[in-house]
């Protein structure tokens, strides 16, 4: 199956990054969000990030304008998916919202279209069960910043077919990403391994083992990580980290995933990381 016409639902950080790479690699993209302001701001962000790539000499100015020409916007799922080969959903991690969106996608997207989710923590099998086409439902888990990070976790739900898996893995390769197939278990591989490290770094802060910048320096200089775990937690969003840890804890039932009380306290206080201007570090 060739994937040429696409739609992305959700114009936040992940959604605009996914639309960016699809358009840059020759796919038409309808970016869908109920909020027209979010669509305007996503389009500006994509243009800015494409400019950055032109400035670095990674792409030509013409590739930037061609990519922007391939992106259209819509505020209604029904209007945006009637002729697509693939939809990637990238809305917040709320099960009710995902159920509603996948119900609408199932009703309005062509019968043969693949419905992918960028979820980091909700079961692909569960999402598939909200539709009449679970064989064509799959996880396509991108990483932030999407134009830079080369991994896509391709998550196979219980009913996902080989044909769907092959189509989505082939597309990820066309986008210059490395698809890695994983099974549908909580947190997949990425967040099951990453979040306990971030959580442990937060326990180190809470217990006074070291100051936040020293904890990060240990991991950047000692382990060659590009960002320390606390900077990365701020980058991802502390609310997102807490939510993923809660899913791991609830669904795997092991105390090793219990969210650190300091993480809960900061989320309750609204110190959500970079997007809030305050997390483990302060941002302008
Ligand atoms: N669009 C296009 N290009 C971008 C970009 C964007 N949004 N953001 C950064 N870049 C480019 C820069 O232009 C630069 O290009 P160059 O190498 O040609 O000079 C390159 O990326 C590096 O950027 P910077 O020089 O600005 O900054 P850094 O060298 O500090 O790198 C970083 C920034 C790429 C974010 C790096 O710090 C990093 O890799 N951090 C870790 C990110 C990470 O772990 N992400 C995964 C989060 S987990 C997740 O997303 C899953 C979810 O489920 C939680």
């Amino acid at each position: 199956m060739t994937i040429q016409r696409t739609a992305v639902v959700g114009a936040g950080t992940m959604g605009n990054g996914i639309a960016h790479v699809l358009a840059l690699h020759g796919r038409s993209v309808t970016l869908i969000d109920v909020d027209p302001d979010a669509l305007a701001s996503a389009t500006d962000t994509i243009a800015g990030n494409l400019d950055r790539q032109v400035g670095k000499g990674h792409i030509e100015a013409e590739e930037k304008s061609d990519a922007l020409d391939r992106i259209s916007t819509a505020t209604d799922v029904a209007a945006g998916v009637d002729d697509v080969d693939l939809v990637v959903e990238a809305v917040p991690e709320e099960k009710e919202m995902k159920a509603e969106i996948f119900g609408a996608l199932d009703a309005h997207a062509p019968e043969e279209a693949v419905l992918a989710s960028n979820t980091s923590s909700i079961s692909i099998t569960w999402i598939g069960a909200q539709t009449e086409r679970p064989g064509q439902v799959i996880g396509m888990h991108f990483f932030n910043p999407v134009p830079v990070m080369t991994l896509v976790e391709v998550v196979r739900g219980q009913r996902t077919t080989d044909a769907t898996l092959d189509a989505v893995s082939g597309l990820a390769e066309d986008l210059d990403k490395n698809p890695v197939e994983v099974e549908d278990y909580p947190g997949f591989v990425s967040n099951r391994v990453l979040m306990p490290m971030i959580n442990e770094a937060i326990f180190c802060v809470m217990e006074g083992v070291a100051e936040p910048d020293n904890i990060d320096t240990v991991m950047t200089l000692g382990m060659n990580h590009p960002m320390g775990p606390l900077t990365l937690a701020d980058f991802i969003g502390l609310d997102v980290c807490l939510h993923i840890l809660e899913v791991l804890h609830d669904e795997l039932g092991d105390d090793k995933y219990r969210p650190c009380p300091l993480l809960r306290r900061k989320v309750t206080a609204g110190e959500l990381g970079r997007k809030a201007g305050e997390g483990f570090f302060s941002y302008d």
Side-chain angles (χ1 to χ4, degrees):
M1 162 182 199
T2 316
I3 295 175
Q4 199 55 42
R5 294 159 304 176
T6 70
V8 175
V9 185
T13 305
M14 297 306 287
N16 78 55
I18 296 165
H20 172 138
V21 294
L22 284 166
L24 189 56
H25 291 85
R27 271 62 184 186
S28 67
V29 189
T30 306
L31 184 57
I32 304 170
D33 199 294
V34 286
D35 179 1
D37 291 342
L39 288 171
S41 137
T43 312
D44 285 350
T45 301
I46 294 170
N49 284 332
L50 286 165
D51 268 338
R52 190 204 287 236
Q53 289 175 301
V54 174
K56 297 273 179 183
H58 294 318
I59 62 171
E60 301 294 329
E62 200 183 342
E63 291 178 84
K64 174 202 158 183
S65 55
D66 288 349
L68 287 175
D69 287 346
R70 289 188 199 103
I71 301 176
S72 56
T73 58
T75 50
D76 178 20
V77 163
V81 301
D82 57 343
D83 66 346
V84 298
D85 306 311
L86 168 86
V87 185
V88 186
E89 166 275 316
V91 303
E93 296 287 77
E94 291 169 24
K95 278 182 125 179
E96 267 178 31
M97 195 190 298
K98 305 247 185 211
E100 198 181 306
I101 286 172
F102 274 84
L105 294 176
D106 199 24
H108 297 288
E111 228 172 73
E112 62 287 356
V114 169
L115 307 182
S117 176
N118 179 59
T119 183
S120 52
S121 57
I122 295 175
S123 158
I124 296 303
T125 305
W126 182 85
I127 294 175
Q130 311 309 306
T131 74
E132 301 294 323
R133 59 177 98 184
Q136 290 154 246
V137 174
I138 192 162
M140 241 187 138
H141 186 207
F142 290 84
F143 293 80
N144 185 22
V146 181
V148 178
M149 305 298 284
T150 59
L151 174 67
V152 178
E153 255 182 332
V154 177
V155 187
R156 182 199 276 270
Q158 181 72 20
R159 305 278 305 278
T160 308
T161 64
D162 288 344
T164 302
L165 194 99
D166 290 347
V168 161
S169 297
L171 173 67
E173 281 170 3
D174 282 357
L175 303 179
D176 288 336
K177 305 290 185 200
N178 298 286
V180 173
E181 185 187 331
V182 305
E183 292 295 326
D184 184 25
Y185 287 102
F188 316 131
V189 171
S190 54
N191 283 317
R192 184 160 173 175
V193 174
L194 174 65
M195 288 301 158
M197 179 188 71
I198 286 177
N199 203 34
E200 207 54 41
I202 301 171
F203 272 108
C204 286
V205 179
M206 189 177 81
E207 292 168 12
V209 178
E211 291 298 320
D213 55 345
N214 284 340
I215 293 169
D216 272 9
T217 301
V218 168
M219 298 306 286
T220 50
L221 298 187
M223 282 72 185
N224 232 2
H225 291 190
M227 282 176 169
L230 300 167
T231 302
L232 183 55
D234 279 355
F235 183 64
I236 292 169
L238 300 191
D239 51 340
V240 175
C241 294
L242 176 59
H243 175 76
I244 297 171
L245 280 161
E246 283 173 336
V247 169
L248 289 170
H249 193 211
D250 290 350
E251 297 188 14
L252 295 167
D254 192 320
D255 271 357
K256 70 184 173 187
Y257 303 111
R258 78 219 175 285
C260 177
L262 177 58
L263 174 61
R264 280 193 195 286
R265 201 169 83 172
K266 289 183 91 64
V267 171
T268 306
E271 294 177 12
L272 304 182
R274 193 181 284 208
K275 63 189 167 191
E278 191 66 39
F280 286 98
F281 303 98
S282 295
Y283 304 86
D284 288 331

